[in-house]
Amino acid sequence: MADETGHGQATASPNGLEAGAVLPPRTFRITRADLVRYAGASGDLNPIHWSERFATGVGLPGVIAHGMYTMGLAGQAVVEWAGDPAAVVEFGVRFTKPVAVPDDDTGTELVVSAVVKGVTPDGHAELALTAVCAGEKVLGQARAVVRGAGGTTG
Amino acid sequence: MPIDPSFVGRTYPPTAPYEVGREKIREFADAVGAAHPAHRDPAVAQALGHRDVFAPPTFPVVLTIGTSGSQVFDDPDLGIDFSRLVHGDQRFRYTRPVYAGDRLVCVCTIEDITHRAGNDFLVTRTELATETGEQVVTVWSKLVVRGEQ
């Protein structure tokens, strides 16, 4: 919470994520092959993520990415910013728009960016995330809380 | 027909334990582009202070889709029309990472049911813990069942 940082509380987490910092955007390319691989790895075999015929039949513009795939990519951006793949304490998103993935070699592009909203009393950084595909925000209320470096558990 | 809100608070029986394998973690890490070697090499994970390789943050859905999620989808009292189901929100709160070798049990509770503008909104909370009761992660999913147009 940015407005809570003025009461003698730390403004930077141990891994240098300072309140107000704008983190470098991460760009992910998503093709149909990525969706097939995610379907297999996750067990989410819903045909809206691989069958054009089925997807258009239920009123979608075409095959769309799994929401959890988009969230998974955003999670990778988060752990890269945190500098620790085990740093995430909380992670939540709303799926606001479908990510349509065309049947070609270039697919589509997802850009994930973030600002550090603040640092919690226990030194965790709170990130507000933005994920944009084809000019539209595809995640809403996207938020991650990450532990400062050196705070891993085992 | 709207989902009956009196089912809020319903808790399903614990699922059979899911044993997290190293190769499953690697496969999932490959699928979400998680390149860090701590998802693949036990020595790297241990050097970072972990007992074994651990899964990327969104891995718990592998369990919740196939186990506790199907309890909700298949519950005849709720009567969810799967073809109208949309994933609304997703949230995780982690006590610790999911490690290879974990035997995890899911306990799913219906936390909220609302009806708005012709659509049903159903929030599930699933607690993932080891067989011996060690809390690992809490998973919330909001499912939207779109009304018939």
Side-chain angles (χ1 to χ4, degrees):
Chain A
M1 306 299 157
D3 57 349
E4 289 174 5
T5 55
H7 302 283
Q9 189 175 308
T11 54
S13 72
N15 48 357
L17 294 175
E18 290 183 29
V22 177
L23 301 173
R26 269 283 271 128
T27 299
F28 301 93
R29 183 151 295 285
I30 304 173
T31 66
R32 290 283 178 92
D34 296 319
L35 303 189
V36 171
R37 187 165 51 179
Y38 184 78
S42 69
D44 183 345
L45 305 179
N46 190 328
I48 61 173
H49 305 304
W50 51 265
S51 166
E52 192 83 19
R53 171 178 55 84
F54 189 92
T56 54
V58 297
L60 292 167
V63 165
I64 63 168
H66 307 72
M68 286 309 304
Y69 181 55
T70 304
M71 186 178 188
L73 296 177
Q76 286 317 299
V78 169
V79 299
E80 286 174 25
W81 289 319
D84 173 2
V88 186
V89 177
E90 274 189 62
F91 186 25
V93 305
R94 169 162 297 174
F95 303 106
T96 50
K97 292 276 182 192
V99 171
V101 180
D103 183 14
D104 60 25
D105 294 333
T106 48
T108 192
E109 206 173 73
L110 176 76
V111 180
V112 182
S113 52
V115 296
V116 181
K117 294 264 290 180
V119 177
T120 66
D122 38 7
H124 301 335
E126 182 184 356
L127 312 185
L129 309 178
T130 306
V132 174
C133 178
E136 297 212 81
K137 288 186 181 180
V138 295
L139 299 178
Q141 300 180 14
R143 174 181 175 273
V145 176
V146 299
R147 196 179 284 116
T152 54
T153 56
Chain B
M1 196 172 62
I3 299 174
D4 184 345
S6 71
F7 294 119
V8 170
R10 172 171 287 198
T11 295
Y12 295 89
T15 58
Y18 175 103
E19 184 165 320
V20 180
R22 285 179 181 165
E23 294 303 333
K24 188 65 192 179
I25 288 177
R26 177 204 298 268
E27 180 188 16
F28 189 85
D30 285 347
V32 294
H36 200 287
H39 302 306
R40 297 166 178 81
D41 183 343
V44 171
Q46 284 155 10
L48 292 172
H50 297 275
R51 69 181 72 148
D52 206 321
V53 297
F54 53 90
T58 57
F59 180 84
V61 292
V62 172
L63 280 73
T64 59
I65 283 175
T67 55
S68 49
S70 59
Q71 291 176 320
V72 174
F73 300 152
D74 296 344
D75 185 338
D77 289 336
L78 299 177
I80 291 174
D81 180 352
F82 194 76
S83 71
R84 297 184 175 281
L85 194 65
V86 178
H87 196 172
D89 292 28
Q90 183 71 32
R91 185 155 70 92
F92 302 90
R93 190 173 63 208
Y94 307 90
T95 304
R96 66 156 172 84
V98 171
Y99 290 118
D102 277 340
R103 287 174 56 83
L104 299 178
V105 173
C106 300
V107 176
C108 178
T109 299
I110 296 177
E111 201 169 78
D112 194 31
I113 295 173
T114 53
H115 185 78
R116 198 168 66 244
N119 301 315
D120 286 312
F121 298 85
L122 184 140
V123 178
T124 61
R125 185 187 76 243
T126 306
E127 301 287 353
L128 273 66
T130 65
E131 263 183 319
T132 52
E134 182 189 2
Q135 171 66 29
V136 177
V137 55
T138 306
V139 182
W140 288 268
S141 302
K142 180 183 271 185
L143 308 171
V144 184
V145 185
R146 292 180 297 162
E148 306 199 17
Q149 300 304 316

